[in-house]
Amino acid sequence: MRTSSSAPSAVSTTTAAFSAVLVVLLAVLVPLSALSAWVDLEIDDTDRYVAAVSPLSSDPAVRNTVADLVTEEAMRQIDLGPLQDTVREFLHQTVRSFTTTEAFRNAWDAANRAAHQAVAAALDGDSGEAVTIDLAPVIEQVKQDLVRDGVPFADQIPVQRTEITVLGPGQADDLRSSFRWLRYCSIWPAVATLVFLVLVVGVATVRRGLRAGLWATATVGVGFVLGAIVLRVLVAVGRSRVLDEVPDGDRDAAAAVVDALTASLRTTVWVVLAVGAALLVGAVLARLLLRNRRSAADMR
C-alpha cells in the first residue's frame, strides 16, 4: 500500500518540478527570442528600419524638433537687432509648415536611411559614441525649398551636421555588448524555442497520454504569458534608461524614435500573451471535458 501511494506522489512531484522548470525556461527564452529576432530582422535591416521610423515624419514631436534645430542654426547666422525675435518666429513657422510636405517626408526617409548605417556602426563601435540621427539631409531639402519659395534669409540657413540624440554615450556603451550578443543569436533562439515546445508536448502526449499532453500545453501557456510580461517590462525599462541620457531638447523626438523602433516588440508582447492565454485556457477546458467524459463513462 505504501508503494502504491508513494508512486503517484513521486510522479506528481516530478511533474510539478518539470512544469516549474519549463515555465522559468520560457520566461527567459521568450524575451530572448523576441529581442534577438528584433535586432536581426529590424535593427540590422535598412529597409525595415526606415519603414519603422518613416511615419515619424508626421509626428508633432519630430516636426517641432526639426523646426527648432533649423531655426536655431539659421538664427546664429542672422543678426537683425530688434527684429531678431520676429524673424525667428517667422522662420520657425515657415519651417514647421514645410515639415507637413511630401518633400520633408522624402528628406526624412533619406536622412534615416543614411542614419541606419551610423546607428549600426555606433552599436558596433567604440565606447563613448552616442547614437544619433543627422538632420543635414533634411536641412538641405528645407533650405532648397525655402529659397525656391523666396523666403527671406533662407539662403543663410547653414547646412551642417545637426543631430538628434537617440541614445546617449553611456547607455550606448551599456547596450553594445547586449546588441552584439543578440545579433550573434539571430533568429535561432526563436526556432529552438518552437522546436523544444513541440518536443515537450509531443513526448508528454506519446509517453503518458492525452492528459499529460494537455498538462504540458497548459504549462507552455503559462510560460508564454510570463515571458510576454517579462518582455514588456524589459521594453519599458529599456525605454526609460535610453531616454535618461538624451538632452531635454531632443527627448520628445528621441522618445518617438524609440517607440517606433520598439513597436514590433510591443506587438509581439500582445501576440505571445494571446497565444499563451489561448493555450492555457484551451488545455484546461480540454482536461475538464475529458474528465467529465470519464466520469460519465464510469457512472454507466
Side-chain angles (χ1 to χ4, degrees):
M1 294 291 291
R2 288 181 181 177
T3 302
S4 61
S5 62
S6 62
S9 176
V11 171
S12 177
T13 301
T14 302
T15 301
F18 174 76
S19 299
V21 170
L22 181 58
V23 167
V24 172
L25 193 59
L26 285 174
V28 175
L29 284 176
V30 167
L32 172 62
S33 299
L35 290 170
S36 59
W38 171 68
V39 169
D40 184 70
L41 299 176
E42 184 162 321
I43 300 301
D44 280 349
D45 186 280
T46 301
D47 290 337
R48 288 194 177 97
Y49 177 92
V50 173
V53 298
S54 181
L56 293 180
S57 60
S58 301
D59 187 278
V62 171
R63 288 177 173 176
N64 284 332
T65 299
V66 171
D68 290 345
L69 289 173
V70 172
T71 302
E72 290 304 315
E73 290 298 326
M75 295 310 296
R76 289 175 185 172
Q77 311 298 318
I78 303 171
D79 185 6
L80 298 174
L83 297 177
Q84 191 81 355
D85 289 342
T86 301
V87 173
R88 179 191 302 274
E89 180 63 23
F90 169 75
L91 186 58
H92 187 276
Q93 291 298 328
T94 303
V95 176
R96 184 67 174 78
S97 177
F98 171 78
T99 62
T100 64
T101 66
E102 184 67 25
F104 172 73
R105 288 190 284 274
N106 292 335
W108 174 256
D109 287 349
N112 278 286
R113 188 167 292 278
H116 178 258
Q117 303 303 321
V119 169
L123 292 175
D124 283 331
D126 299 325
S127 61
E129 294 182 11
V131 177
T132 63
I133 297 175
D134 181 17
L135 293 178
V138 178
I139 296 174
E140 175 64 33
Q141 186 63 54
V142 170
K143 180 176 181 177
Q144 290 178 7
D145 281 64
L146 296 185
V147 170
R148 187 184 64 243
D149 293 342
V151 175
F153 311 110
D155 59 327
Q156 298 187 41
I157 297 176
V159 180
Q160 57 191 17
R161 186 173 183 86
T162 305
E163 300 173 336
I164 294 178
T165 301
V166 178
L167 196 61
Q171 295 299 346
D173 290 344
D174 292 341
L175 291 175
R176 277 188 183 100
S177 59
S178 298
F179 267 86
R180 288 169 183 162
W181 190 65
L182 290 171
R183 184 176 288 117
Y184 177 79
C185 290
S186 186
I187 63 171
W188 295 113
V191 173
T193 300
L194 292 176
V195 171
F196 172 70
L197 295 181
V198 170
L199 289 176
V200 166
V201 176
V203 169
T205 304
V206 170
R207 294 192 61 184
R208 299 183 56 199
L210 181 58
R211 294 185 66 186
L214 291 173
W215 177 266
T217 302
T219 303
V220 168
V222 174
F224 270 28
V225 170
L226 185 58
I229 294 173
V230 171
L231 177 59
R232 185 66 185 90
V233 170
L234 289 175
V235 172
V237 171
R239 181 185 189 277
S240 177
R241 290 188 60 190
V242 163
L243 296 179
D244 280 345
E245 279 195 4
V246 174
D248 291 340
D250 293 349
R251 185 157 298 173
D252 289 342
V257 172
V258 171
D259 288 343
L261 290 176
T262 57
S264 59
L265 285 176
R266 295 195 301 276
T267 300
T268 300
V269 167
W270 289 110
V271 170
V272 173
L273 194 64
V275 170
L279 290 175
L280 174 59
V281 173
V284 170
L285 291 177
R287 278 179 64 91
L288 290 175
L289 182 60
L290 192 62
R291 180 182 299 174
N292 290 338
R293 285 184 178 179
R294 286 190 175 183
S295 298
D298 291 341
M299 291 179 62
R300 293 176 185 176

